[in-house]
């Protein structure tokens, strides 16, 4: 059994990883300020420290108080649009929290660090599918903040020997297939939950951002990866870090679906129409983002179990239908 510190463990991807760690028998401590996260997303038996990562003394205390085998860092500002209105806040907060946490981990003798990174590092990609060797060129302050965080971690390895894994998520989507957890952002900006909410009458009609892209149906193509598969990737990279080297992986299914295909799938799965209207392009949206997951597969043995868009939408829909108002109507802790 190992013990891990998970920042942002009450959030969407973080909570699914916490659940996966608990299920395999690890001990988990979560730090989350609950600005975005939900107390009800923390499984029983997991210690929750409600704290802001900017509170360095508190973070250092937590790291010194337990002996952790690794830190998984999810807590971050993560809205691309917001990052273009407040670029300096995004870069300052995401970078300083990551490096402050890494520093505290090093001082506490913890040598494994996993960073939630993003496909936004690649901006408008130079080739498809996007492999780890593609040129890095973020076109948002959010992407830039994660690129800087990755670079900071490279220095932490060079000088202090901190081994890190940067996982560049493509479009995280879906929900725990057993229905224990789901996606509950406020505000919600992601396509799949917005389309489901529109279909269920829980949210406004969807606006489809752009129909004139150079793609077969004119709408953007994205690589949707199931959050449970994403969680499994984290467990596997912890094993790679044990072998003593730092890694960077693109984490996606390796296949893309257009916005129209997502809408069609939501209609099929829910059995209801998705009310939508077409609107102009959203600034900074590349036409196609699809990952090459070859390196991740080869080096970790990762294989997505919920690769079909239908499975992703079905699990997301099941959770939302059971929790129309998100975690607020289920203030019970989930059982691991
Ligand atoms: N979309 C709409 N209408 C909406 C919301 C989204 O048409 O109301 C479209 C977008 O234009 C895009 C696709 O649906 O083509 C997916 O959009 P999301 O907002 O769900 O996801 P993004 O691809 O924009 O963002 C994701 C992650 C970010 C990450 C980015 C990398 O959520 O954290 O990929 O490019 F930075």
């Amino acid at each position: 059994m190992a013990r891990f510190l998970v920042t942002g463990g009450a959030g969407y991807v973080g909570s699914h990883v916490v659940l996966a760690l608990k299920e395999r028998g690890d001990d988990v401590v979560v730090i989350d300020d609950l600005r975005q996260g939900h107390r009800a997303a923390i499984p029983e038996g997991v210690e929750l420290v409600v704290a802001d990562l900017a509170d360095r003394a508190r973070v250092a205390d937590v790291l010194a108080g337990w002996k952790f085998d690794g830190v998984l860092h999810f807590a971050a500002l993560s809205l691309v649009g917001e990052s273009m209105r407040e670029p300096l806040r995004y870069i300052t907060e995401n970078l300083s929290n990551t490096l402050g946490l890494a520093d505290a981990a090093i001082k506490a003798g913890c040598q494994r660090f996993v960073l939630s990174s993003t496909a936004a590092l690649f901006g408008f990609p130079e080739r498809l599918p996007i492999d780890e060797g593609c040129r890095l060129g973020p076109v948002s302050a959010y992407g830039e903040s994660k690129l800087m965080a990755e670079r900071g971690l490279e220095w932490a390895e060079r000088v202090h020997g901190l081994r890190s894994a940067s996982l560049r998520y493509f479009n995280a989507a879906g929900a725990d297939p057993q229905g224990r957890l789901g996606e509950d952002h406020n505000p919600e900006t992601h396509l799949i939950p917005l389309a489901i909410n529109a279909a269920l009458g829980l949210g406004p009609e969807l606006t489809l951002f752009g129909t004139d892209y150079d793609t077969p149906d004119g709408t953007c193509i994205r690589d949707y990866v199931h959050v449970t598969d994403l969680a499994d990737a984290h467990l596997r990279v912890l094993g790679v870090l044990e072998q003593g080297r730092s890694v960077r992986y693109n984490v996606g299914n390796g296949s893309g679906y257009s916005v129209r295909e997502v809408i069609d799938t939501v209609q099929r799965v829910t059995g209801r129409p998705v009310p939508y209207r077409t609107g102009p392009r959203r600034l900074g949206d590349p036409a196609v983002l699809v990952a090459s997951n070859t390196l991740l597969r080869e080096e970790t043995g990762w294989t997505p179990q919920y690769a079909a868009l239908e499975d992703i939408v079905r699990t997301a829909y099941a959770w939302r239908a059971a929790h129309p108002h998100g975690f607020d109507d289920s203030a019970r802790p989930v059982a691991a």
Side-chain angles (χ1 to χ4, degrees), residues 10-276:
Y12 174 47
V13 181
S15 63
H16 283 80
V17 172
V18 169
L19 194 56
L21 288 167
K22 281 304 285 179
E23 280 189 323
R24 73 169 193 185
D26 289 330
D27 229 13
V28 182
V29 176
V30 166
I31 298 187
D32 199 301
D33 64 6
L34 300 180
R35 262 189 298 175
Q36 291 291 323
H38 306 276
R39 194 180 285 273
I42 307 276
E44 273 175 66
V46 171
E47 180 104 17
L48 168 65
V49 177
V50 181
D52 188 326
L53 290 180
D55 185 348
R56 299 275 186 268
R58 190 83 190 279
V59 171
D61 274 356
V62 172
L63 272 151
W66 280 275
K67 182 142 183 45
F68 291 107
D69 296 286
V71 173
L72 296 102
H73 179 39
F74 297 92
L77 299 171
S78 62
L79 299 177
V80 174
E82 186 179 64
S83 83
M84 298 306 277
R85 293 190 294 277
E86 300 177 78
L88 303 185
R89 181 165 80 95
Y90 262 68
I91 292 172
T92 308
E93 189 169 323
N94 284 351
L95 184 61
S96 69
N97 284 349
T98 302
L99 300 188
L101 183 65
D103 187 44
I106 292 162
K107 288 183 173 137
C110 172
Q111 287 294 331
R112 282 195 280 171
F113 194 101
V114 180
L115 173 71
S116 293
S117 190
T118 172
L121 250 54
F122 298 101
F124 295 97
E126 61 173 338
R127 59 175 177 269
L128 292 166
I130 304 170
D131 58 73
E132 287 76 1
C134 276
R135 185 180 43 78
L136 300 173
V139 294
S140 68
Y142 167 65
E144 185 68 42
S145 73
K146 291 289 182 171
L147 178 55
M148 289 176 162
E150 286 198 11
R151 289 197 171 138
L153 290 177
E154 287 171 21
W155 285 102
E157 179 178 36
R158 272 201 225 179
V159 177
H160 301 294
L162 180 72
R163 293 191 298 275
S164 66
S166 295
L167 299 184
R168 286 90 173 250
Y169 307 160
F170 281 63
N171 290 63
D176 172 50
Q178 293 182 45
R180 295 165 293 181
L181 296 169
E183 184 168 10
D184 185 8
H185 291 116
N186 184 19
E188 187 54 78
T189 62
H190 297 109
L191 177 63
I192 291 178
L194 287 175
I196 290 172
N197 285 349
L200 296 180
L202 295 168
E205 73 173 350
L206 185 73
T207 302
L208 201 165
F209 298 141
T211 51
D212 58 350
Y213 284 95
D214 186 16
T215 59
D217 68 17
T219 66
C220 286
I221 292 176
R222 292 288 180 273
D223 181 328
Y224 297 91
V225 55
H226 195 285
V227 66
T228 299
D229 287 328
L230 202 50
D232 180 46
H234 289 75
L235 269 48
R236 289 168 184 274
V237 302
L238 285 170
V240 174
L241 290 181
E242 251 170 43
Q243 295 160 20
R245 64 197 176 90
S246 291
V247 287
R248 276 172 227 98
Y249 295 123
N250 292 354
V251 192
N253 270 319
S255 48
Y257 295 97
S258 74
V259 176
R260 283 198 193 282
E261 286 174 303
V262 170
I263 292 174
D264 288 348
T265 307
V266 170
Q267 297 192 141
R268 209 167 44 247
V269 167
T270 63
R272 299 172 192 229
V274 172
Y276 75 92

